[in-house]
Amino acid sequence: MTAPHLNRALVLEGVVRTSDGAGGYTETWAALGTLWAAFRPGTGSDVPGEEQILAAVPYRITVRAAPAGAVSRPKAGQRFREGTRLFPILAVTEADPYGRFLTCFAREEVAT
């Protein structure tokens, strides 16, 4: 495997739950760090959303690997941010047999 061209800076974000004082919680997103990434888009599709159609585009986002449990290691349920664009992470796997890179399967959804 040749090394991917990591040419896009993405902010990795994770959900932070805060008590709302009434037995529930609120969720906000907090930045966990910036990772350099390579993008490979997949085939787009339209998916029904609540009251609107969402154009969904899958991506394979490759980043440098980090040890399991490290804050800088992406995982499902987190998301990448590039400016106003959001890429929820669906799954993460090692991209090469040596564990030097990770492939994050993500989907960008845009309201149409």
Side-chain angles (χ1 to χ4, degrees):
M1 171 182 175
T2 60
H5 187 59
L6 308 177
N7 62 347
R8 293 172 77 167
L10 301 177
V11 176
L12 178 63
E13 296 182 334
V15 174
V16 176
R17 291 184 176 175
T18 307
S19 173
D20 65 4
Y25 59 88
T26 59
E27 291 184 343
T28 57
W29 290 91
L32 303 174
T34 301
L35 303 176
W36 286 93
F39 269 62
R40 283 192 356 205
T43 303
S45 64
D46 289 337
V47 295
E50 292 184 29
E51 301 181 23
Q52 62 184 344
I53 298 293
L54 300 175
V57 179
Y59 285 91
R60 287 184 182 205
I61 301 173
T62 303
V63 297
R64 209 172 293 285
V71 175
S72 60
R73 185 181 178 101
K75 59 184 176 183
Q78 295 177 332
R79 70 183 184 187
F80 289 116
R81 175 184 291 274
E82 183 181 44
T84 59
R85 297 176 70 186
L86 299 174
F87 303 91
I89 301 170
L90 307 173
V92 179
T93 187
E94 292 183 347
D96 64 321
Y98 303 107
R100 295 176 296 175
F101 298 96
L102 299 173
T103 298
C104 301
F105 297 89
R107 182 175 301 270
E108 180 182 27
E109 294 180 346
V110 179
T112 60

